[in-house]
Amino acid sequence: MKVITLIPGDGIGPEITEAVKKIFAAANVPVTWEEENAGQTTFESKGELIPQSLIDSLEKTRVGLKGPITTPVGKGFKSINVQLRQKFDLYQNVRPACTTPGITTKFEGVDLVLFRENTEGLYSGLETYDARLGIADSINRITVKGCEKITRAAFAYARKHGRKKVTVVHKANILKMAGTLILEAGKKAQQEFPEIEMDDKIIDNMCMQLVAKPEQFDVVVTSNLFGDILSDLCAGLVGGLGVVAGANIGDDMAIFEAVHGSAPDIAGKGLANPTALLRSAIMMLHHIELHDHASKITNALNKTLLNKEQCTGDLGGKAKTMEFADYIIGNL
């Protein structure tokens, strides 16, 4: 029985977390939950955004499932997601984007996986502000080690999952040093995985290509800021943030998460769609080698998505959060 650290989060987080727990129980998934929270609610009750008890739990279990978390608005509060990624060196942000029958979009045949470097770049937190001159500087710290780790992870994923091509996205035409590092790291990784084709795209061209012909892409790897932007763009191709999974993966720890916001305006109303968190939980099951359970839940979810009446309002249906969960359970 695998113990998982469960972080319900804020807003709609507890609701969609309960839906996932109910589905897992019905599917007889051999996991137990160790619940610890973080975010605005935790700060209001404990005076801490990330309590030590959560850190201790993650260090013990090495696997977490996280709902959407709210970082309080105000000077001095650093993103909780960024803190967790940097503390545990969760350098891979992995976001699949795949067309799903039953989810209406303007695109067909999308089936790609985005690898975003998760710990450095413009999200390193290295900023200064000169009030006298009115100038703010943010340092785009890129390391050879960081670029090599993320590109190798992308190629290793491609080999493991039978993918054919890795696209390295960069801005080396302008950022002569920082932009070139990830491109060179990609070329080095490709030598280790010669059966995997590699190409590269400049970030602005990549954006155009994604909305013109997304089906041409297989595995995509890029830096932190570019990956943040592209991951949401890719989500838009396949139905939005409410239906895509996300994972933060390191060498010996992983936290799987819903990448959408905490939506406090609909919290407690039973309107939230748990698909993103459920798909993240399915990624988690594959990560801990529970492939049969992952496939069983995936099939039940996909069958449910084909019936609009059984879906939540954002997917064109009328079901409440837990009703949607019950329909998935009925299709197990």
Side-chain angles (χ1 to χ4, degrees), residues 62-77:
R62 314 307 292 178
V63 182
L65 179 65
K66 182 174 75 63
I69 286 179
T70 301
T71 299
V73 177
K75 187 175 181 180
F77 290 112

Side-chain angles (χ1 to χ4, degrees), residues 271 307-320 323:
L271 302 176
N307 189 334
K308 287 288 185 190
E309 289 297 310
Q310 295 183 353
C311 296
T312 51
D314 59 311
L315 296 176
K318 299 178 180 178
K320 297 286 190 177
E323 290 173 343

Side-chain angles (χ1 to χ4, degrees), residues 42 70 79 95 165 179 226-227 232 250 253 270 312 316 321 324 328 330:
T42 305
T70 301
S79 166
R95 298 268 292 270
K165 182 176 71 172
F226 294 163
D232 278 23
M253 182 185 288
T312 51
T321 304
F324 182 52
I328 294 170

